Amino acid sequence: MTVRRDFQEPPRSRPDLVIGREELFTSAREQLGRGGSVLLHGPAGIGKSTALRALAADYGGAARTVLRCSATESESHLPFLALADLFGLVLEDVSGALPGAQRTALESALTGRGESTLQRDGLALRLAVLSALRVLAARGPVLVVADDLQWLDAASAELLGFAARRLGDTPVQMLCAVRTEGEEYDRHLPASPPDTLAVRLGPLNRTQVSALLDHRGYTPLSRSTIRDIHRTSGGNPLFALELGRALAESPARPRPGEPLPVPTSLRALVLSRLEMLSDEARRTLLVASAGARPTLALLHAAGREQAEAETAQAATLGLLATDPEAPALRFAHPLISAALYAEAPAQERRAVHAALSTAASDPIERARHLALASTGTDPDVAARLAEAGALARDRGAPSVAASLGLLSARHTPADSTPGPDERRLQAAEDAITAGEADLARDIARDVLTRASVPAERVRAWMVVIEAAGQALGEVDAVFPQVLADAGDDPRLLAQVYYQLAWRGLVVEGDFAEARQEAAHAAELAARGGDRRTELMALSFQASTETLMGHPDAPATVKRALKEPQDPYVACHHNGAGSARFRWLIMSDQLPEARATITALLREVRRRGMVESEVHFLRFLADTELRSGHCGRALDLARESLRLARDSGIGEGASAMLASLAEASAGDVDRALALAREAADHAEVDGDQMYLSRALAALGYAQLVAGDPAATVRSLRRVRELEQGLGINDPGRGRWHGDLAEALVRIGEPGEAQDVIDTTRAHALRLGRQSVLAVLDRAEALVRAARGEHEAAAARLTSVQDRLGRLGYGLEEARAAFALARLRTQAAGFPRSGARPLPGPASYDEAARLFRRCRALPWLRQVDAAATAGPAAVEPPAAAPAVALDALAGLAAMERQVASLVMEGATNREIAARLFISVKTVEATLTRVYRKLGIRSRVDIVRLAAGRRTT
């Protein structure tokens, strides 16, 4: 089809959402933006046509003429068909400008009148296509969009390539897509200009597949199901969507251990080559498809005597990928294995599993195959599966243990001990450990429809609560029910009160209540002989006391670490080891904190504890960031965020830490976006504790971005939140120095000093030496703003040395930067009678320290300051005195709202920036009007200008 700007159809909605192609689009857009051409390539279903449509929509508007063609396999034998698609609608416009011979040849080829052939009219046709493109380009840029180049008829491909190689500087660009396997795309390049950029589309990751399925409405799918879809599709978007559609249309989901249903459309696509296999070779491949890690030895043990020859035949047909170095057989695509298995009759599949149940060497594999070969209940099969699940758990494969547990429950007779529901609950707890919270919740809810024994019901409710993660407000109605089920059993009540402690912290935002509930849970657990719950409750109590700055925190940490220990609690992210890490890092013992968290991370990875791994990666990133190893911290934070998004666990907390790391060592814009994402997560979950952390990260990113006013707004809100929560330890969020620094920058040294004095009192009581040093750095800036330059310089010199000795590399570099700015300012604006400040007025030391930390955003600030000179470090202008006096009597939130009105922000913008509702903004403004004795927003603006209201 040809579309010209003169008669283009009305604008339509944007083509299908393109997911997971950000980097690809960046390079393709840059190429198109500089006038080049792009060739997209990749296997069938990988999303080439979708990407092509999106790029064409973006860049088609810049061209006067867009020529399009899309070939099909069934029409590839028709000569000049693609040429007719491209030039059919513009033939009349260009034919008059062509020489006679060229015009005749082109019209004959496009209309079918006459008997034009490439052999007879080759030169005339080639020149005609080249001339036609030049004629169109003379009127304005031309974009040629060609999809499925592999089906382009040979004549059109030859003519298009001839012209493309000779266009030179003519404003004609080509945007094409071609199906390829591997990297064999170069044979299609001759149909494109010489400067064409070849871009390969690869598979999507699990998070991107999830987003794609969600975009198409295939929800709700559990994360374990999405994991299976991603594995089976190999990340191919088309295959993933077809599998998602088949699941959505299926009345029943596959049982544990069974592969996904493969729709007929995909079976036909990947199994067409099976018709060339012998029946025996097909059976051999079926055995391979059922095995977890098939090898020739396994196939022989399962009775496939001719396995070598039959697998070689399959490899020749492209069904198996050959790798001489790897002993395991590998299908060319996971979908081939799934489709082959789905195509086989149920009786034949059971026979294959029966053979593998004795052939497999691994006891877990043997048990799984035995279950899939059996029908009905069988206590012996159930017991073997339970044993295999325990083995998988010990090996650090809780996801496998959960699957085996469900298989065991299915084969467990109703009157057995343990019963089927008890085994289901074990599977649910394994799923929680593996990070499959939705699967765990579904199992527990199913058990609750039948269970009548209090212990089973409480255990199921605990899974439901654990599966909610930080969103405990969503399961608020559960607590009265589980308390009723627990009765007066101290062992059961201990579990409930432990979760109530978390509710008090996350939902109510009350540290004192959370501490009290945790202590009560520990006492109940001790009475009931439940050491695991007792240790978890003590660990929670210790962490809470640490954040509160409570004097009992060290003693509670010791109680939580007292023997006998429980191995699970010892390495859990809310266990005793984690509580000790928090105490160490807040006490400035960075080497010990790093050693502790590194050992914990190693252990949870061995055990397959996904949620703990997410959090420990974040803790380690935080430790490295404080130590000034910013590049290492960024890598760890990004890894934590990837794992969090993949598993759906701790996304807000990981986004918060990733924001801090990005602002210190990466991309500041990304840091701002991540902090806002973290705040959104906390708002949705109703989690006030992490909302304050997210806003603190946002304030830091805004400071690095050079927006101190925004920093003040964010961190004032953090101050209010933490005062309400009862968080008194400034070592937790470490935002106080940033707030004071930003206040100085916007001309509020008085409020900055108040923040410093209040925070210093807590830091002195708790012995937080690094916090005290950072506060001294901020106080030096206050002194400099008041003209006390010599005292400020002496304080900054001392601070830099103290932070260096404590091991806080990034904070040390920031002190050196502040000192360099002060000296540069003093050198550029000498005061009458003042002595020059000691030390060189140079940024070299700050640059060296930031470079050592790999703190690239800060290093860019140093370069900018060094280039700009003294003018860049002039003290900030003070706000109008009338405005400052008027706002002084307002509460903090009222002052923030009034300040934003002064900047011209609307109520909706104020609500978004302060993370409050529009109604709250309106109510706050009403109070502001009343307190200031004014009537409208206009009067507030007059205050900002220093004019009196009337």
Side-chain angles (χ1 to χ4, degrees), residues 516-868:
Q516 184 177 348
E517 299 283 26
H520 186 39
E523 179 188 348
L524 287 167
R527 271 199 281 143
D530 183 355
R531 183 61 174 163
R532 173 171 291 191
T533 302
E534 181 187 6
L535 288 171
M536 290 295 287
L538 285 171
S539 300
F540 179 83
Q541 181 184 344
S543 295
T544 306
E545 289 173 349
T546 299
L547 296 175
M548 294 172 69
H550 198 284
D552 291 347
T556 309
V557 170
K558 288 181 180 177
R559 286 178 63 199
L561 291 169
K562 189 177 179 181
E563 296 294 338
Q565 278 293 310
D566 182 292
Y568 174 82
V569 177
C571 66
H572 191 275
H573 60 280
N574 289 321
S578 185
R580 180 172 182 269
F581 163 78
R582 288 187 180 92
W583 186 80
L584 286 169
I585 197 167
M586 292 176 67
S587 301
D588 297 325
Q589 300 181 53
L590 296 182
E592 294 87 345
R594 181 185 293 107
T596 298
I597 200 63
T598 300
L600 288 170
L601 179 60
R602 187 185 307 116
E603 180 62 15
V604 298
R605 279 175 166 166
R606 187 187 71 80
R607 290 173 171 266
M609 298 169 68
V610 175
E611 183 173 7
S612 293
E613 182 180 357
V614 169
H615 291 297
F616 288 160
L617 280 168
R618 177 168 57 84
F619 291 170
L620 183 55
D622 188 19
T623 308
E624 298 294 3
L625 196 58
R626 294 182 190 221
S627 303
H629 305 150
C630 300
R632 169 73 171 148
L634 182 59
D635 292 340
L636 289 163
R638 286 174 173 173
E639 185 180 354
S640 174
L641 184 58
R642 281 194 299 269
L643 186 57
R645 286 176 170 165
D646 195 32
S647 63
I649 295 171
E651 293 181 74
S654 293
M656 175 274 297
L657 203 284
S659 171
L660 291 172
E662 290 283 356
S664 298
D667 185 313
V668 180
D669 289 337
R670 179 165 169 76
L672 292 166
L674 285 168
R676 293 188 176 104
E677 177 189 331
D680 288 344
H681 274 291
E683 290 276 21
V684 169
D685 292 342
D687 187 344
Q688 297 296 296
M689 183 175 64
Y690 265 110
L691 177 59
S692 72
R693 296 294 306 273
L695 290 174
L698 178 60
Y700 174 69
Q702 290 164 333
L703 185 67
V704 179
D707 190 351
T711 299
V712 169
R713 288 193 295 272
S714 297
L715 297 185
R716 277 175 175 163
R717 179 87 192 281
V718 175
R719 192 182 191 189
E720 291 178 3
L721 283 168
E722 295 203 352
Q723 285 174 348
L725 290 167
I727 298 175
N728 295 315
D729 192 333
R732 184 227 183 199
R734 305 177 61 84
W735 48 266
H736 314 78
D738 292 339
L739 174 56
E741 180 176 336
L743 285 165
V744 171
R745 291 193 191 182
I746 67 169
E748 295 276 8
E751 185 181 347
Q753 189 65 54
D754 177 63
V755 170
I756 293 166
D757 292 343
T758 303
T759 309
R760 181 179 282 140
H762 292 299
L764 282 168
R765 177 174 60 85
L766 297 166
R768 302 296 185 240
Q769 295 302 318
S770 64
V771 174
L772 289 168
V774 169
L775 291 174
D776 284 351
R777 184 184 69 203
E779 190 169 49
L781 301 179
V782 173
R783 290 192 173 191
R786 291 172 175 167
E788 303 171 21
H789 288 182
E790 292 179 13
R795 178 67 61 89
L796 287 172
T797 302
S798 170
V799 165
Q800 181 182 339
D801 179 63
R802 287 157 58 197
L803 288 168
R805 283 188 278 108
L806 286 168
Y808 284 78
L810 182 59
E811 300 293 358
E812 177 191 4
R814 288 180 63 181
F817 187 26
L819 181 59
R821 287 169 65 92
L822 180 61
R823 286 172 173 161
T824 303
Q825 177 185 333
F829 303 98
R831 293 161 294 140
S832 176
R835 292 177 301 173
L837 293 178
S842 166
Y843 290 97
D844 291 348
E845 173 69 359
R848 181 186 70 81
L849 291 173
F850 280 130
R851 195 174 293 112
R852 184 183 69 183
C853 294
R854 282 182 57 193
L856 301 182
W858 284 106
L859 192 58
R860 285 191 285 269
Q861 286 195 32
V862 173
D863 291 341
T867 302

Side-chain angles (χ1 to χ4, degrees), residues 32 97 123 408 483 721 735 805:
L32 292 168
L123 181 59
S408 176
L483 278 169
L721 283 168
W735 48 266
R805 283 188 278 108

